[in-house]
Amino acid sequence: MSWNNCTFGGNDLYHVYTNTPAMDLGFINCSFDFTSGDVVHLGPSASYMAMKFVNTHIEGFDQFIIQTEGSALYRSFYFVNPTILPRMRDGSQFSPSLGRANSPSRLLFSAPDSSISLNGIDLRYEQPPYLEDLFMSNTGTKIYANAFVKSAGYQACASLSHICNRGYDFGDEIVGTVIGAGSLTLNRFTCTSRNSITAMITNRSDGNGLQLELTGTATGSYITLISNNSSPVKTGDRISVFGALQILSAVGNAIITPTINWFDSEDALVSSINGAQTNMANVFANTNLPNFSDGTNRYIACTAGVFTAPQGAVSAKCSVTYSSIQGILNVSRLAMFRID
């Protein structure tokens, strides 16, 4: 069955629901606008089937783009050139009871028994991240992304497999290692500049591994970390960089600036480009975020910078500068991922 040039709108449950096995559905030049449930919801008997969405517009849904029940076999979803704006249906952009917002941290797919292919997706957000990870799916959902274009502001990464460098967290560092006058190098990162900040590897307060604890003593404090490992690129590749932190007892501003460093075939620096600065103190103070009640214990990512590899670049290293810190701030992520 196929639908062409149709509009699905104003639903209280789902735009599309099926529990029929071996039923392929196609939607071409269709628009899915405003539902309090899922855009697509599959019952436990919907198996041996595929859905294709070509040149579709999806906007204003409170739950997921795709959610499945049970563990049926051979469920496949194909999206070609969709435009997605995950705004809440009721216009309130935030819903603490659901834990979802119009943010890169919002989960869009809950289909661990399915295969999802995204080709030419245009994914747009209006609110900053409220978690430390910028992923669209829960654990187990298989997503394959190609030509993944997003708004100039807030970014999202399709899945863990799209992280394309080793400097994702501080998991292989040694607790107690200090960045200071004696050493500026960790296993995965090197400190290239520092002022009025000391740094030490500590255990995360939530028990999920290790972090870099920063202690700033002046408004002019800063520290820049660059990944020790480079990732291969080619001219025109679009790479995104972000950092995540826990603001803890830090006061005043907490500025993050993501940077990309391009290198040529002889490992010489081609250029170093800074992304937009994010004042994380303002993000943590946003009372509309779904996890605001967790206070300063939250780990939240900054806006991800997006960079295009210049002519002659064959590898890249991600870098982040943390500045204007007074007090203690914990760094949990420094990541780079490919979006093209």
Side-chain angles (χ1 to χ4, degrees), residues 79-312:
F79 292 86
V80 180
N81 298 325
T83 298
I84 299 173
L85 177 58
R87 183 186 288 124
M88 304 300 288
R89 177 188 61 89
D90 61 6
S92 69
Q93 296 188 25
F94 303 102
S95 182
S97 61
L98 294 175
R100 300 193 181 96
N102 187 8
S103 163
S105 297
R106 178 181 174 183
L107 297 181
L108 301 182
F109 301 98
S110 180
D113 55 347
S114 306
S115 175
I116 300 171
S117 174
L118 307 173
N119 191 358
I121 184 172
D122 185 347
L123 180 61
R124 299 184 178 272
Y125 291 99
E126 298 170 324
Q127 297 298 329
Y130 59 91
L131 297 175
E132 63 180 314
D133 294 325
L134 306 186
F135 307 132
M136 297 192 307
S137 64
N138 54 7
T139 302
T141 300
K142 299 177 182 177
I143 295 182
Y144 306 91
N146 180 49
F148 196 71
V149 180
K150 295 164 293 299
S151 67
Y154 305 117
Q155 310 297 323
C157 181
S159 66
L160 287 171
S161 64
H162 285 252
I163 297 295
C164 65
N165 76 317
R166 297 182 181 179
Y168 177 57
D169 57 25
F170 296 88
D172 65 350
E173 306 297 342
I174 299 173
V175 173
T177 301
V178 174
I179 290 179
S183 175
L184 299 178
T185 303
L186 299 171
N187 290 328
R188 293 193 178 186
F189 306 102
T190 295
C191 172
T192 59
S193 62
R194 181 177 62 93
N195 179 62
S196 300
I197 281 184
T198 58
M200 181 174 64
I201 299 295
T202 62
N203 290 296
R204 287 176 51 145
S205 58
D206 59 7
N208 293 326
L210 305 181
Q211 63 194 2
L212 184 65
E213 179 182 286
L214 305 180
T215 302
T217 58
T219 56
S221 64
Y222 61 83
I223 185 171
T224 299
L225 300 175
I226 184 172
S227 59
N228 292 333
N229 299 98
S230 60
S231 296
V233 298
K234 63 181 184 301
T235 301
D237 278 357
R238 285 163 53 85
I239 301 295
S240 195
V241 176
F242 74 91
L245 55 81
Q246 179 190 45
I247 209 164
L248 209 57
S249 65
V251 296
N253 296 323
I255 308 295
I256 298 183
T257 307
T259 303
I260 194 75
N261 303 276
W262 307 111
F263 296 87
D264 63 17
S265 58
E266 297 182 351
D267 205 29
L269 182 65
V270 175
S271 62
S272 181
I273 308 298
N274 294 333
Q277 293 184 341
T278 302
N279 187 344
M280 297 302 291
N282 293 338
V283 178
F284 275 79
N286 186 344
T287 59
N288 289 316
L289 292 185
N291 60 349
F292 177 77
S293 61
D294 294 335
T296 56
N297 291 321
R298 294 169 290 166
Y299 291 89
I300 301 180
C302 75
T303 298
V306 182
F307 310 92
T308 301
Q311 188 74 31

Side-chain angles (χ1 to χ4, degrees), residues 28-45:
I28 302 172
N29 298 323
C30 292
S31 183
F32 298 88
D33 300 318
F34 305 106
T35 174
S36 58
D38 305 314
V39 176
V40 175
H41 191 100
L42 265 58
S45 297

